[in-house]
C-alpha cells in the first residue's frame, strides 16, 4: 500500500495539530509520499512584503513577485521545516519541488476567462513515475511542496491538492493507493459552526447536487473525485488524529 498524503490549511500553522500529524504520518505502515501546501503562511509573508494575495474561485493569482514569495515559502521554509521534523522522528525524507530530479513537470495554465499567471497544470505524463518510485524503493519518503516546473527553466505555482491527486493516479500503476487529504477538521462539515457535523461519506452526485461546501474546499473535492474516477482505490478527507488509526471520524469519498 502506498499512502499519498496531502496537508495544508491551518494544520501547518497549528503546532499541536502539526505535531499530531507528523507523529501519525511517521507511524503509517507501507510506502508514503507527503505533499504540502502553505497558502496561509504565504499570504502572511506576502502582506509583510507589501503584496496582497488575490484568490479567485479558491485559487491564487500568481504574478512574478507572488511566485517568488511562494517559492521562498513552499520550497524553502515550510518544506525544510517538515523534513527536519520528520527526520527527528526517524523518517528518512527528501524535501522536493517538482523541478528536483525532474519528478513533476507541468504546463502553464492557458488563459481562458481568468489569467492565473505563473500557475501549472498537469497532464497524464506529468509525474516521473520511474524515478519517484526509485526513491521510495530506497526507503526515502518524498516530501513535495506546491512548486513544479515546465522543463523550460520556469517554476510554477501548482495546487497541492492537484499534485496529490496526480501522484496518486500515476503511482497506482505500481502500487495500491490510499489518498488522504488531511486538514484541521474531522471531515467535510454539514455546518461550519459545528465541528462534529461531518459527513462520514460523500458521493460525487451529492457533491455537485447540493454544492454545500465553502469555496476553499471545492478544488480539494474536485481533485479527490478525479482521482477516484481515474482508479485510485480509496480517498478520504480527515483530521490528523485519524490518519494512523481506524477511527471512523473522517469523510470517505466514493463515486
Amino acid at each position: 500500500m502506498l499512502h499519498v498524503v496531502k496537508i495544508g490549511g491551518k494544520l501547518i500553522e497549528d503546532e499541536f495539530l502539526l505535531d499530531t500529524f507528523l507523529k501519525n504520518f511517521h507511524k503509517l505502515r507501507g510506502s508514503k509520499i507527503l505533499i504540502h501546501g502553505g497558502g496561509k503562511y504565504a499570504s502572511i509573508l506576502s502582506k509583510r512584503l507589501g503584496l496582497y494575495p488575490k484568490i479567485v474561485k479558491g485559487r491564487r493569482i500568481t504574478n512574478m513577485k507572488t511566485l517568488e514569495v511562494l517559492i521562498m515559502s513552499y520550497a524553502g521554509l515550510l518544506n525544510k521545516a517538515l523534513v527536519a521534523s520528520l527526520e527527528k522522528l526517524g523518517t528518512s525524507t527528501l524535501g522536493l519541488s517538482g523541478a528536483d530530479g525532474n519528478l513533476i513537470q507541468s504546463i502553464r495554465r492557458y488563459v481562458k476567462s481568468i489569467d492565473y499567471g505563473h500557475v501549472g497544470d498537469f497532464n497524464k505524463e506529468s509525474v516521473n513515475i520511474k524515478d519517484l518510485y526509485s526513491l521510495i524503493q530506497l526507503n526515502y519518503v518524498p516530501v513535495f511542496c506546491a512548486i513544479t516546473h515546465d522543463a523550460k527553466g520556469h517554476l510554477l505555482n501548482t495546487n497541492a491538492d492537484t499534485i496529490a491527486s496526480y501522484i496518486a493516479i500515476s503511482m497506482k500503476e505500481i502500487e495500491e493507493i490510499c489518498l488522504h487529504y488531511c486538514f484541521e477538521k474531522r471531515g467535510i462539515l454539514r455546518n461550519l459552526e459545528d465541528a462534529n457535523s461531518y459527513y462520514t461519506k460523500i458521493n460525487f452526485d451529492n457533491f455537485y447536487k447540493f454544492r454545500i461546501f465553502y469555496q476553499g474546499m471545492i478544488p480539494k473535492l474536485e481533485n479527490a473525485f478525479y482521482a477516484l474516477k481515474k482508479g485510485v482505490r480509496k480517498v478520504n478527507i480527515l483530521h490528523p488524529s485519524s490518519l494512523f488509526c481506524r477511527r471512523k471520524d473522517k469523510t470517505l469519498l466514493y463515486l
Side-chain angles (χ1 to χ4, degrees):
M1 173 71 75
L2 171 59
H3 296 275
V4 178
V5 185
K6 188 269 175 177
I7 59 170
K10 295 179 181 178
L11 193 158
I12 293 177
E13 300 170 26
D14 188 306
E15 185 176 349
F16 175 78
L17 284 179
L18 183 58
D19 183 65
T20 300
F21 167 78
L22 292 170
K23 289 177 179 176
N24 287 340
F25 181 79
H26 169 69
K27 294 176 184 177
L28 271 179
R29 295 181 179 179
S31 305
K32 47 198 172 186
I33 298 172
L34 177 61
I35 303 97
H36 68 86
K40 292 183 183 297
Y41 175 80
S43 295
I44 293 170
L45 181 57
S46 294
K47 290 177 182 178
R48 289 176 183 171
L49 297 173
L51 304 171
Y52 290 86
K54 183 178 181 181
I55 309 295
V56 178
K57 296 183 178 179
R59 300 182 186 273
R60 186 184 301 265
I61 303 295
T62 307
N63 59 27
M64 183 53 72
K65 289 185 178 181
T66 298
L67 180 63
E68 291 174 355
V69 173
L70 297 180
I71 294 169
M72 287 188 287
S73 302
Y74 297 167
L77 178 60
L78 294 175
N79 187 263
K80 301 315 170 191
L82 288 171
V83 167
S85 295
L86 285 170
E87 290 284 357
K88 179 181 177 181
L89 294 170
T91 299
S92 296
T93 60
L94 286 175
L96 302 164
S97 72
D100 294 299
N102 191 32
L103 290 172
I104 307 176
Q105 286 188 26
S106 60
I107 56 175
R108 181 165 171 167
R109 183 171 299 170
Y110 295 113
V111 178
K112 296 179 181 178
S113 58
I114 301 170
D115 183 358
Y116 284 97
H118 300 275
V119 169
D121 281 330
F122 287 155
N123 58 42
K124 62 181 181 180
E125 299 177 349
S126 288
V127 179
N128 183 342
I129 301 171
K130 179 181 177 182
D131 289 348
L132 180 54
Y133 192 61
S134 293
L135 294 177
I136 293 171
Q137 288 182 306
L138 291 171
N139 294 318
Y140 286 111
V141 174
V143 179
F144 283 102
C145 68
I147 300 294
T148 59
H149 78 132
D150 65 0
K152 298 176 182 178
H154 304 114
L155 295 172
L156 295 169
N157 174 30
T158 309
N159 182 272
D161 295 326
T162 306
I163 293 175
S165 177
Y166 270 83
I167 286 178
I169 292 165
S170 300
M171 298 302 287
K172 75 178 177 60
E173 304 299 328
I174 298 176
E175 284 200 49
E176 188 174 31
I177 304 293
C178 187
L179 175 58
H180 310 271
Y181 286 100
C182 194
F183 76 141
E184 69 275 7
K185 305 296 183 182
R186 296 176 68 188
I188 304 300
L189 303 181
R190 292 184 177 88
N191 178 0
L192 296 183
E193 305 302 321
D194 182 0
N196 293 315
S197 66
Y198 61 93
Y199 291 87
T200 56
K201 293 183 179 181
I202 293 177
N203 69 16
F204 182 77
D205 290 337
N206 286 340
F207 165 52
Y208 279 98
K209 179 179 179 181
F210 296 110
R211 305 295 289 181
I212 54 179
F213 310 108
Y214 48 93
Q215 183 175 351
M217 189 58 64
I218 299 300
K220 188 184 306 295
L221 286 166
E222 288 176 340
N223 282 295
F225 281 118
Y226 183 73
L228 284 172
K229 286 188 170 184
K230 291 296 182 178
V232 173
R233 176 178 173 269
K234 186 176 181 180
V235 181
N236 54 53
I237 297 177
L238 72 166
H239 187 273
S241 62
S242 301
L243 183 64
F244 175 61
C245 62
R246 296 183 178 275
R247 289 167 57 176
K248 295 182 179 180
D249 49 346
K250 63 183 72 173
T251 301
L252 178 67
L253 304 184
Y254 66 101
L255 296 176

